[in-house]
Amino acid sequence: VPVAVPRDELPLARQPAVLPFLALLRCAAVPGSMDEDTAAMLLSSPLGGADPLALRRLRRGLRRLELAAGRDRPSGELLVEVIESDDRLAALEDAEALPARRVAGLLRKARKGIADGLTVEQVLWELWQATGLEQRWVAQSARHGTVGMQADRDLDAIVALFEAAAKYVDRLPGSGAEAFADYLAAQEIVGDTLAAAAPTGEAVSVLTAHAAAGREWTVVAVPGVQEGSWPDLRLRGSLLGVERMVDLVAGVSAETVSAVAPILAEERRLLLVAASRARRTLLVSAVRGEDEQPSRFLDEIEELSTDEPERPTFTPQRGLVLAELVGELRRVVCSDDEPAERRERAAVQLARLAAEGVPGAHPDSWYGLADVTTDSPLWTEEHTVSVSPSTVETLAKCPLRWVVERHGGQDPAELASITGTLVHALAQAAATGADEKELRAKLDEAWAAVDAGAPWFSRRERIRVERMLDTFLAWLASSRAQLTQVAIEEEISVEVPRQDGGPKLRVRGRVDRLETDREGRPVVVDVKTGKNPVTKEEARQHPQLAVYQLASALGGFTHLGLGTDPGGARLLYVAKENKKTGATELEQAPLDEQGVRVWLEAVQLAAGSSVGPRYRAAENADCDRCPARTTCPVHSSGRQVSQ
């Protein structure tokens, strides 16, 4: 179907595929012209291939080397340095250094081409060949869909870049790479383009409601009249609300000046503009689903319509997209309810598509069909299962989350994890006698190595860490009347009596603070940096604290001269200030004999659920923020990869 669309192309120099090539060309032609923003852009572009996480990992690695060398330059300056001279990359891991190596290699190649007297077109060709993007974008283009369309646009832009370079060299044979980059950057409107020209004769016009004003067609279709998108009631306008001020100055009372009513009226007028473009036939459509509902405006349109007493509904057939065809064939092949003849025909068609290399057609790429790597448990009877108090808490909630996190399913470099480690280190330094001035200096030194992202966000997190340090110091001063410090970051390791048929078990862990109460009993204090404390009832039954107390009852602190009678445990939330105690403190009562037996069984049960090879997925309050949800059958995003 021929389609006429409004022309809204960008100038060649602003095309996403062309921008990094021009930047690299300018940096090669003008030594010293690369700045921090250009370096970050090149690394994040297809030339470097770094996603935000990889770029952050590279920044962190460079800062680590910088501090080890006794210097303190910002990470942006270090990015420029490693691209200009990649000697420093040898000290980094391959995963960290790969994007910088790619860009640095391309920069060297461009400089060599310019030094050898190659034309701009030849230098660009050398760079294009070295990137290897041609094969990737051509393959993506063959897949169609959104990704394929973007790949088509990128390839068109690159071809247009070579066309522009060839014409420029023909007109100005002696001009260099810098002049060509400046020439393209100066273009404000689209010049020559390889994009298909929109037909001007018999064609379907696709345009917005605003662009349709003043025109008419015999048939007009207004699709996507959904609640939330039409009307779109999101607030817009100036930051200071000048529009409402104008209404008030014009005499409109404050009671009638609403933030939503004018937007709703404007959306209704916009739909009227779109609907009134039809001379004879108007088609208005919407989608009804679990997360989508038709717009309220449909009811108003039906009140004006006499031809359709009932709202007609339509169930669409399979779309004319290759991916949907593959999906339907796979559903038929795998369905026991389909006739054998239809399943056989679907299998034949899938085999044809697989032979042509269509993605998703070959069963080797399907989820759930690969053989299980191993069905052996993680531990056998000869092994001793080691669990930590925090492990018991995770296993009690969801064994599947535990096994995924244990084997690489959690990023240890997350900012929350880094901040927590830093606060614990400062608390340890404070407990060993460091004064406040020393602690501030240690915080300044440590924070310089933390990549917290945007400067404003880094400053906010830095202030938050300072406040946590202040609340901890306030708690430390106020709690000395009831508690006496015994040890900090104390290792604990005790054997747990073996249950019949259960594995050999040992509890290992590290206690943030070990104190004694007035009776000389051991009290475990666990420092938390989370923003939201648990409830008092949850603290009374907190698994991590209870396992610490169980370890104490089993003799975990006897080497320090303490007894086996637990004195309770406490959660200390340093991110939640308390006016009386400094930090928010939640207590768990000392375990009695019955409590010891209950938690002994709980630890044995948790250890048994960690053995495998099958792990239960249990829904709980932490599911929404669980790092394992994309592999969990309880969560919708993980059902496709879980069995």
Side-chain angles (χ1 to χ4, degrees):
V1 178
V3 176
V5 296
R7 193 167 202 175
D8 55 356
E9 293 184 72
L10 292 172
L12 184 59
R14 300 181 189 175
Q15 294 284 350
V18 173
L19 184 61
F21 282 94
L22 290 182
L24 194 65
L25 201 61
R26 180 178 285 106
C27 293
V30 185
S33 62
M34 182 179 296
D35 55 19
E36 299 177 9
D37 293 338
T38 303
M41 183 274 290
L42 289 173
L43 291 168
S44 303
S45 71
L47 304 186
D51 57 20
L53 183 61
L55 186 58
R56 180 178 174 183
R57 188 185 299 121
L58 175 59
R59 287 180 182 269
R60 191 167 58 244
L62 294 174
R63 284 286 299 169
R64 185 176 64 247
L65 297 178
E66 180 75 2
L67 295 175
R71 297 186 295 268
D72 190 16
R73 290 176 294 172
S75 60
E77 185 178 334
L78 299 177
L79 290 180
V80 175
E81 180 179 311
V82 295
I83 292 177
E84 295 283 357
S85 176
D86 61 356
D87 295 339
R88 183 185 289 259
L89 295 176
L92 296 178
E93 296 181 3
D94 291 341
E96 293 177 324
L98 184 58
R101 286 201 179 101
R102 289 172 178 162
V103 176
L106 293 173
L107 183 61
R108 286 196 301 269
K109 183 175 286 293
R111 285 177 174 167
K112 183 178 183 302
I114 293 173
D116 292 343
L118 299 180
T119 66
V120 175
E121 186 181 10
Q122 290 171 327
V123 173
L124 286 173
W125 180 252
E126 293 285 340
L127 291 177
W128 173 248
Q129 291 293 101
T131 61
L133 291 173
E134 179 182 357
Q135 294 82 0
R136 187 199 313 172
W137 286 352
V138 169
Q140 291 175 348
S141 176
R143 297 182 182 181
H144 307 289
T146 305
V147 175
M149 293 172 62
Q150 182 60 52
D152 283 337
R153 289 192 291 268
D154 290 340
L155 289 170
D156 286 343
I158 292 298
V159 175
L161 175 63
F162 284 115
E163 291 284 344
K167 292 179 180 179
Y168 184 82
V169 170
D170 291 340
R171 289 197 299 264
L172 301 169
S175 297
E178 181 187 4
F180 173 71
D182 292 339
Y183 161 73
L184 283 187
Q187 292 184 355
E188 295 292 338
I189 60 174
V190 179
D192 295 338
T193 177
L194 297 180
T200 57
E202 294 293 328
V204 176
S205 298
V206 181
L207 66 171
T208 65
H210 290 95
R215 303 174 62 185
E216 285 187 339
W217 292 266
T218 304
V219 179
V220 170
V222 185
V225 185
Q226 303 292 134
E227 193 67 34
S229 59
W230 206 338
D232 181 359
L233 299 181
R234 291 176 297 178
L235 298 180
R236 55 256 199 191
S238 62
L239 178 63
L240 301 179
V242 177
E243 299 80 6
R244 299 184 67 186
M245 183 180 69
V246 171
D247 289 337
L248 293 173
V249 172
V252 182
S253 64
E255 290 76 11
T256 58
V257 176
S258 169
V260 175
I263 299 176
L264 183 62
E266 176 61 27
E267 290 287 292
R268 182 181 287 105
R269 286 192 293 268
L270 190 60
L271 180 59
L272 177 61
V273 169
S276 60
R277 300 307 93 201
R279 296 193 190 99
R280 188 184 67 201
T281 304
L282 172 65
L283 304 173
V284 182
S285 63
V287 176
R288 179 187 294 117
E290 293 182 1
D291 302 324
E292 294 182 291
Q293 293 299 325
S295 170
R296 68 190 76 177
F297 290 156
L298 288 185
D299 296 330
E300 299 179 14
I301 293 175
E302 287 178 343
E303 292 177 1
L304 302 176
S305 174
T306 57
D307 297 334
E308 295 287 350
E310 295 182 1
R311 181 179 298 174
T313 58
F314 172 71
T315 302
Q317 302 298 317
R318 173 176 51 80
L320 299 179
V321 180
L322 190 58
E324 290 195 30
L325 172 61
V326 173
E328 181 179 355
L329 293 174
R330 286 171 56 169
R331 283 193 297 270
V332 172
V333 166
C334 298
S335 175
D336 294 332
D337 298 331
E338 295 288 345
E341 181 182 357
R342 192 163 188 261
R343 295 178 64 185
E344 184 177 350
R345 291 203 310 271
V348 171
Q349 299 304 324
L350 277 176
R352 293 178 59 191
L353 295 175
E356 296 296 329
V358 174
H362 200 287
D364 287 347
S365 63
W366 299 1
Y367 289 126
L369 293 186
D371 293 334
V372 176
T373 306
T374 179
D375 57 1
S376 301
L378 290 182
W379 288 284
T380 61
E381 294 183 357
E382 294 77 19
H383 297 103
T384 299
V385 178
S386 294
V387 294
S388 67
S390 59
T391 293
V392 172
E393 182 179 3
T394 304
L395 285 168
K397 289 183 177 180
C398 181
L400 179 64
R401 175 176 180 173
W402 171 83
V403 73
V404 173
E405 289 184 333
R406 179 182 175 88
H407 293 87
Q410 187 176 25
D411 181 13
E414 291 181 349
L415 183 59
S417 177
I418 297 172
T419 301
T421 303
L422 177 57
V423 171
H424 278 76
L426 292 172
Q428 182 179 4
T432 53
D435 58 27
E436 188 170 347
K437 184 177 180 181
E438 292 180 74
L439 293 174
R440 304 291 177 188
K442 289 180 181 293
L443 175 57
D444 291 336
E445 180 183 354
W447 195 257
V450 175
D451 181 13
W456 66 268
F457 185 77
S458 179
R459 288 192 296 269
R460 191 185 74 175
E461 287 298 299
R462 171 70 164 73
I463 293 173
R464 197 171 75 87
V465 172
E466 280 189 0
R467 289 175 179 169
M468 285 192 280
L469 177 60
D470 291 339
T471 57
F472 173 78
L473 293 175
W475 172 86
L476 190 62
S478 65
S479 62
R480 293 309 88 191
Q482 295 83 26
L483 299 175
T484 302
Q485 178 179 302
V486 176
I488 305 164
E489 298 294 329
E490 178 66 22
E491 295 279 353
I492 185 172
S493 177
V494 294
E495 290 188 9
V496 178
R498 189 172 185 178
Q499 191 180 33
D500 292 341
K504 292 185 289 185
L505 177 60
R506 176 174 290 274
V507 173
R508 297 180 183 271
R510 184 187 298 271
V511 176
D512 290 342
R513 294 184 59 83
L514 181 62
E515 314 262 0
T516 55
D517 60 10
R518 294 174 178 177
E519 301 177 17
R521 299 177 301 178
V523 177
V524 172
V525 178
D526 193 49
V527 180
K528 298 291 187 183
T529 58
K531 300 178 182 179
N532 301 313
V534 299
T535 65
K536 291 183 179 180
E537 181 59 32
E538 289 172 333
R540 295 188 187 101
Q541 301 295 326
H542 200 273
Q544 187 175 0
L545 296 185
V547 176
Y548 277 129
Q549 292 205 66
L550 174 64
S552 177
L554 295 175
F557 302 124
T558 54
H559 64 287
L560 297 175
L562 302 178
T564 57
D565 186 15
R570 305 185 185 187
L571 292 173
L572 188 66
Y573 284 89
V574 293
K576 186 73 171 178
E577 186 177 1
N578 184 290
K579 293 182 179 180
K580 294 182 178 180
T581 60
T584 297
E585 188 179 56
L586 297 169
E587 296 188 24
Q588 185 178 82
L591 290 184
D592 54 15
E593 292 185 3
Q594 175 63 22
V596 170
R597 287 194 295 270
V598 168
W599 283 104
L600 183 60
E601 293 178 1
V603 169
Q604 291 167 337
L605 181 63
S609 65
S610 71
V611 173
R614 295 184 178 275
Y615 295 89
R616 179 176 55 88
E619 189 173 8
N620 58 79
D622 295 334
C623 283
D624 289 341
R625 53 183 179 271
C626 175
R629 60 183 178 274
T630 54
T631 60
C632 176
V634 174
H635 199 276
S636 59
S637 63
R639 290 172 186 160
Q640 58 182 347
V641 295
S642 301
Q643 298 295 325

